[in-house]
């Protein structure tokens, strides 16, 4: 099932048309989004998601999102949900109608079911490939107009990368920078485990600050792990004790195979981290 | 005025909603487009535009566009147009509904009026700035998943670049590669004149093949000009006899100021080329 609500508090039928064809979200991919996991009627990490939505809006010169209104519309979708116990809840904000200076942003929340494929990935892990993202790690700070680190609706490249993975028999991608640094997944953050330390690359290199990664790191720290935000090299991934892709909907997903090579078995590390992460929502 | 027609031949009211919120064109900027100039009831360079639409579709693993259907829908919009003598005609094709394997692409043609700003730019020229695109010229061939050279709906970066230009008191942008090569404008192709020769960079460096640029080059050749498709350096632009941005709607627009510095007066060169280009549509 799908539940749709607009930011003004209107519930609407998701199977009907609600957007004009000249919405800039369609014509230009000109807008921002967040995807939030709802379990047991509670949105996970709503605060960090709304923080990031505001950050994306600022990077794209969009009006500052109305935080209270977004909180209300999230609750409205949850209150009207009668599907499975988990919801993938998307928040979308576009720049509005093309060529109409009086146009206000288009803003809605859409609750969706979680794919079976995602649930399998959570349980079994996935094969991933590394793909060149074509940029250096110094680009984001030098060229803010490239919107690196903004969660925009312009995700065609991200989707193309996932199709390339499928062509190579894998389910997901780890993007690398031109200097061999690890960036991020098309829809996830990379986390690496070495011993009792977790690593993730810094957002300053042109990647999204991960909400789920942040959540996992905080939970892991409470459980005695050390966490470090620092550059990672792609050629070091194969020797790690665990390579994970963190995203709201997939949670912490284990990468068991990278570029066709089996990685060291990280099932135990994954189980421990997944438990630590999940315990706070029990 | 705006005239909207779907690819199946249905005319529709553009002021009404026609798209679902879970169309992948909205949620992921996952689709392709073309913008065609219609003058005197005739679409300019329709063949090259449909060729490029097909090329973009192939690069993005979308179904091959139905050429005859697109030709019909273009004519349908033109036949129902009662606005100014010029139309900016957008063709849009998205991947369809998210998560629905039976979904077919969303496909429509939208006729729009030409902005007054565009008409002024055609007549008076514009100020532009160069902006780093953050990529090398070898990336497109090495990393096709980055969709460089596909005209996708994911144009958030292109729009952000134009906003950056406005912040710097300019109207448009010339993107440069990390090695200082000229790439393209966010919605245009760069053409440079030196003596009686026109230059434009090769699409292999990761830019769109320009339909208007191709049209201008063919017309200029017939008028005795030499044309060359070869790499251009950004630091050579200031010394050229003319720097132009070519796009369907703006035609050949003269850049009179680059990065705040006045360029050599190219009004005469521009007038000659604009005449040569326009004469074929008289």
């Amino acid at each position: 099932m799908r539940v749709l609500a607009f930011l003004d508090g209107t519930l609407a039928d998701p199977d009907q048309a609600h957007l004009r064809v000249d919405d800039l979200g369609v014509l230009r991919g000109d807008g921002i989004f967040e995807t939030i996991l709802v379990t047991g009627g509670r949105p996970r990490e709503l605060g960090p998601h709304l923080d990031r939505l505001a950050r994306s809006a600022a990077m794209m010169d969009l009006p500052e999102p109305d935080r209270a209104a977004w909180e209300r519309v999230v609750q409205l979708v949850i209150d009207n949900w009668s599907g499975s116990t988990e919801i993938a809840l998307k928040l979308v904000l576009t720049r509005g109608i093309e060529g109409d200076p009086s146009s206000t942003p288009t803003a809605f929340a859409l609750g969706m079911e979680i794919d079976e494929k995602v649930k399998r990935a959570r349980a079994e892990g996935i094969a991933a490939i590394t793909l060149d993202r074509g940029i250096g790690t110094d680009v984001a700070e030098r060229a803010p107009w490239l919107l690196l680190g903004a969660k925009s609706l312009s995700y065609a490249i991200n989707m193309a990368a996932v199709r390339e993975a499928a062509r190579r028999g894998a389910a997901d991608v780890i993007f690398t920078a031109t200097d061999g640094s690890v960036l991020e997944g098309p829809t996830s953050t990379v986390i690496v485990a070495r011993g009792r330390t977790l690593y993730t690359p810094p957002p300053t290199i042109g990647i999204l600050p991960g909400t789920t990664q942040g959540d996992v790191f905080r939970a892991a720290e409470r459980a005695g792990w050390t966490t470090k935000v620092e550059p990672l090299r792609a050629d070091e991934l194969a020797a790690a004790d665990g390579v994970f892709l963190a995203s709201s909907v997939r949670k912490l997903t284990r990468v068991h195979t990278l570029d066709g090579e089996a990685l060291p078995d990280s099932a135990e590390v994954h189980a421990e981290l997944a438990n630590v992460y999940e315990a706070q929502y029990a």
Side-chain angles (χ1 to χ4, degrees), chain A residues 142-161:
Chain A
R142 175 174 99 220
W145 47 87
L146 298 180
L147 305 179
L148 294 163
K151 203 166 169 71
S152 88
L153 295 174
S154 287
Y155 256 43
I157 288 174
N158 308 51
M159 300 297 102

Side-chain angles (χ1 to χ4, degrees), chain A residues 5 25 47 54 80 143 166 184 194 199 220 253:
Chain A
N80 285 276
E184 61 191 345
R194 285 190 206 118
Y199 299 83
T253 293

Side-chain angles (χ1 to χ4, degrees), chain A residues 34-116:
Chain A
E34 286 292 324
T35 309
I36 300 169
L37 179 65
V38 180
T39 55
R42 274 171 59 199
R44 293 194 177 184
E45 295 293 306
L46 180 58
H49 279 291
L50 293 177
D51 290 346
R52 193 168 64 181
L53 190 73
R55 184 173 175 275
S56 297
M59 290 179 74
M60 286 180 62
D61 307 307
L62 285 161
E64 191 185 345
D66 179 340
R67 197 172 178 99
W70 281 110
E71 285 168 353
R72 282 194 302 272
V73 79
V74 163
Q75 196 54 50
L76 184 63
V77 169
I78 293 171
D79 290 343
N80 285 276
W81 181 262
S82 59
S84 312
T85 54
E86 291 188 316
I87 316 173
L89 210 174
K90 233 180 228 288
L91 312 184
V92 176
L93 177 71
T94 88
R95 202 178 298 276
I97 302 302
E98 198 277 335
D100 179 358
S102 71
S103 165
T104 53
T106 302
F108 60 86
L110 177 68
M112 297 183 287
E113 294 281 358
I114 312 268
D115 270 3
E116 283 309 312

